[in-house]
């Protein structure tokens, strides 16, 4: 077999594998939802029509919907400061997070708080337009951000244990919240939330993560993710000038190998959390085979 034929075969295999991974992250985790004629807003069921939605068991954050309403419209600003529409998969093209966010900021639409802490740690928002268009999404709230990171929840939040009991396994199975194997004597949480900053701005969003191994201090982590690099690039903020920090006592983590992969284009770095500590960001590098590595580095 000639070298050219072998290279062609390898490229074809890589293309098929890449296509399969892209399909998995873009489609497999979602189910379409159309048989909805009411949505809950502050405890009241309100009628809707032409409902097009997506959802998934893998994460409460997968919920998105587009529909039309005949509700009264008042240009209220209630809840706007916390509402940040989350990007939807590219194929669900009725939901344009960037446009919705711009319209909310400009007063061309209003935001309604649909449900709070149902499931625990998440708030469901609706953007309503004067012409009857409406868009729904769910995002982590302050209660969830603290509870999932193992911190004390802010005053006024429901009890996390009670919330977990009410929501079944929702808290434990939330995207990005994964049990970790600790590789350091330094204190570490029993769970870590792995996130990325959306390309459109707003707070970090949890990503799917499995097989997480963590070094607590200084921070470094190894895990796998089903998210493909093309999907992540479309959705999340690509990090500038990533510099993997050394973690010699974490066998799965090799700073030099991460750097080589980034330089070779077989991995891409994303901003996970800005200011995880003053002047320091958390960075996640994702390899084209689904491996991922995270570290903290000073902001450039």
């Amino acid at each position: 077999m000639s070298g050219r034929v072998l290279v062609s075969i390898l490229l074809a295999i890589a293309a098929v594998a890449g296509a399969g991974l892209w399909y998995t992250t873009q489609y497999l985790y979602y189910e379409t939802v159309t048989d909805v004629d009411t949505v809950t807003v502050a405890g009241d069921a309100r009628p809707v029509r032409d409902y097009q939605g997506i959802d998934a068991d893998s994460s409460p954050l997968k919920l998105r919907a587009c529909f039309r309403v005949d509700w009264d419209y008042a240009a209220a600003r209630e809840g706007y400061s916390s509402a940040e529409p989350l990007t939807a998969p590219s194929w669900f093209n009725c939901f344009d997070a960037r446009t919705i966010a711009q319209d909310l900021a400009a007063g061309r639409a209003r935001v309604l708080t649909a449900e709070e802490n149902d499931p625990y740690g998440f708030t469901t928002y609706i953007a309503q337009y004067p012409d009857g268009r409406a868009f729904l999404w769910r995002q982590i709230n302050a209660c969830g951000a603290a509870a999932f990171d193992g911190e004390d929840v802010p005053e006024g939040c429901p009890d996390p244990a009670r919330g977990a009991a009410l929501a079944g396994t929702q808290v434990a199975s939330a995207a990005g919240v994964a049990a970790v194997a600790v590789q350091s004597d330094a204190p570490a949480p029993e769970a870590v939330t792995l996130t990325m900053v959306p390309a459109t701005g707003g707070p970090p969003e949890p990503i799917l993560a499995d097989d997480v191994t963590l070094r607590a201090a200084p921070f470094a982590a190894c895990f796998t993710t089903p998210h493909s690099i093309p999907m992540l690039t479309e959705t999340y903020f690509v990090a500038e000038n990533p510099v993997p920090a050394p973690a010699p006592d974490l066998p799965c983590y090799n700073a030099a190998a991460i750097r080589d992969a980034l330089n070779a284009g077989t991995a891409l770095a994303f901003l996970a959390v800005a200011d995880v500590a003053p002047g320091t960001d958390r960075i996640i590098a994702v390899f084209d085979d689904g491996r991922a590595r995270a570290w903290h580095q000073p902001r450039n």
Side-chain angles (χ1 to χ4, degrees):
M1 181 181 297
S2 69
R4 181 176 297 178
V5 173
L6 180 59
V7 169
S8 298
I9 293 174
L10 292 175
L11 288 174
I13 293 173
V16 171
L21 185 57
W22 176 85
Y23 176 84
T24 296
T25 55
Q26 287 284 305
Y27 290 93
L28 191 60
Y29 293 102
Y30 290 93
E31 61 177 287
T32 58
V33 181
T34 57
D35 55 344
V36 174
D37 54 17
T38 63
V39 297
T40 300
V41 179
D44 295 327
R46 297 193 183 183
V48 303
R49 65 181 190 276
D50 302 331
Y51 187 100
Q52 301 177 59
I54 53 174
D55 205 350
D57 293 334
S58 59
S59 168
L61 294 174
K62 298 293 188 183
L63 177 66
R64 305 284 192 285
C66 314
F67 48 90
R68 299 192 69 85
V69 302
D70 295 318
W71 311 337
D72 291 339
Y73 183 90
R77 305 285 292 175
E78 175 263 330
Y80 173 70
S81 61
S82 301
E84 296 284 351
L86 305 185
T87 305
S90 58
W91 56 268
F92 190 66
N93 52 24
C94 73
F95 191 101
D96 186 333
R98 184 187 298 272
T99 298
I100 296 169
Q102 291 172 345
D103 289 345
L104 289 173
R108 292 187 290 268
R110 70 163 179 167
V111 67
L112 302 171
T113 300
E115 294 181 300
E116 189 81 27
N117 288 308
D118 185 14
Y120 183 86
F122 298 88
T123 300
T124 303
Y125 290 105
I126 295 173
Q128 181 191 357
Y129 284 76
D131 63 3
R133 289 175 295 142
F135 304 90
L136 177 148
W137 71 95
R138 185 184 284 142
Q139 62 190 65
I140 288 181
N141 58 32
C143 303
F148 300 154
D149 282 337
E151 301 174 357
D152 292 335
V153 298
E155 185 177 354
C157 290
D159 176 54
R162 180 174 179 269
L166 291 174
T169 60
Q170 285 281 11
V171 171
S173 63
V177 182
V180 299
V182 180
Q183 295 288 320
S184 168
D185 292 334
E190 294 181 358
V192 61
T193 303
L194 294 165
T195 63
M196 288 186 185
V197 175
T200 55
E205 299 177 4
I207 60 171
L208 294 174
D210 295 307
D211 305 320
V212 180
T213 303
L214 171 71
R215 187 188 195 283
F219 178 87
C222 307
F223 62 97
T224 61
T225 179
H227 300 305
S228 69
I229 289 179
M231 187 279 287
L232 293 172
T233 304
E234 179 180 308
T235 308
Y236 297 107
F237 193 89
V238 176
E240 298 180 358
N241 303 317
V243 181
D249 59 348
L250 187 62
C252 63
Y253 182 101
N254 185 317
I258 300 169
R259 184 173 57 252
D260 290 346
L262 292 170
N263 292 335
T266 57
L268 188 63
F270 299 88
L271 178 61
V273 182
D275 282 319
V276 67
T280 299
D281 296 335
R282 178 176 295 171
I283 306 296
I284 292 176
V286 179
F287 291 73
D288 53 15
D289 62 0
R291 289 176 296 135
R293 304 293 183 261
W295 66 91
H296 291 175
Q297 69 178 52
R299 185 171 302 108
N300 297 318

